[in-house]
Amino acid sequence: MKFVLFYLPTVGTKKQIESRMLPGQNTQAYQSMLYQITEQVKAADQLGYYACAFTEHHFHIEGFETSNNPILLSLYLGMQTKNIKLAQLANVLPFHNPIRLAEDIAMLDQMTKGRAIAGIARGYQKRWADILGQVYGVGATYSDKSETDAKNRALFNEHYQIMKKAWTSETFTYKGDFWNIPPENLQFPMEAVRAFGKGLGDDNQISEIGIAPRCYQKPHVPVWQPFSFSEETFRFCAREHIVPFMLNTDDTSISNLLRAYQEEASKVGRELALGESVGVFRDVLVAKTDEEGKRLAAGGNGWVWENWFHPLGFGEALRRDGEKGQIGGDFNTLYDRGFEYVGTPDSVNFMIEKLVKNHNPEYLLMWQYPGLVPHEDMMRHIEMFASQVMPNWVD
């Protein structure tokens, strides 16, 4: 199993957020966050964690998940580490220029000599998605088969195909519903392009383009996609060699998605064991006692979940097969339904053992909450997990 630290990250303490001081805009609070994640990721690098990852969300002046550019955060940490891989979970494709994004990720991969992982997602938070998506006439999606959802998915798919072409082709063209690369009759009478490059026709029109640099890894960087609930998404990921990450806690739901991925992968010549090339997402925190672990986690993910993620609809991740009605958003619900892998090393080992026995995912994505969980407790957790949990599950 490969272990990945996932940072949103939170800027400010619980008290600062509750006092409405808008810690996301506070320089000292932001600098404190950078210091804490730097020390934690540097420790994780030395202790053998597989990767660290950051999200993309905008306008989070409240302090929740203040991470508007995961590529910059990846580069910032990449320049201070040696081995740990650097992922974005994720870049929200419908609201990016796909060529610029492909270039940025290729640069990250070159600058870290092959440690970049590209994360892609569709975008669900309307506050920022509907604002930044105006240029493409698309907004946030709730995977509800609506017209907005369909357009979001179409743009996501087109942007992904453009990025793949940019990464894998010396020069390329693309014609789709949204993009025409290059546009017709693009005049660029530059003899230097004809003499030293490619893509300039005898009529002085640009016929193809290529990005520079291309990825350090070949044919391109690995691609991950969070956080998937639908069989359609898992089948797409299987066809495209993408690693999907699931939030689900119900064993039946997990098994159904794993089987769908394995089945679809086989159709394109990928013979995988059940759980291979798939990740599971959990809140993970190791402490000296179970009581301490629960207390710290309740003030970290437990508090953020109840105030932020549950109102956004993430309770669906906790729904049991066939269950109807509302799902609670408090920490006890999260713990009872298996989202919280918290407590002593023995307790967390037992939880992972059950996950491996039932589903055997290749990746465990571990939610981290600096700021809300004190830095010294985070550092102790990272070390204890690496020394007393990780050795039992790393291949």
Side-chain angles (χ1 to χ4, degrees), residues 122 140-153 229-233:
R122 295 178 58 203
T141 178
Y142 294 109
S143 298
D144 56 2
K145 309 298 183 182
S146 64
E147 182 179 346
T148 297
D149 175 55
K151 188 170 184 180
N152 179 291
R153 183 177 292 278
F229 294 89
S230 71
E231 181 177 319
E232 181 182 6
T233 296

Side-chain angles (χ1 to χ4, degrees), residues 14 31 38 56 58 96 100 109 240 334 379:
K14 182 172 180 277
Q31 289 296 317
T38 297
E56 180 195 356
H58 301 267
H96 280 277
R100 288 291 301 272
D109 200 38
E240 293 291 339
L334 287 165
M379 293 292 286

Side-chain angles (χ1 to χ4, degrees), residues 7 36 74 96 98 150 157 167 207 234 237 269 289 338:
Y7 289 89
Q36 291 185 34
S74 292
H96 280 277
N157 289 334
W167 284 333
S207 58
F234 268 70
C237 289
T289 66

Side-chain angles (χ1 to χ4, degrees), residues 6-27:
F6 178 60
Y7 289 89
L8 289 173
T10 303
V11 174
T13 64
K14 182 172 180 277
K15 182 177 180 180
Q16 288 169 333
I17 295 172
E18 288 181 328
S19 69
R20 299 182 66 186
M21 68 171 282
L22 306 182
Q25 295 183 330
N26 183 281
T27 294

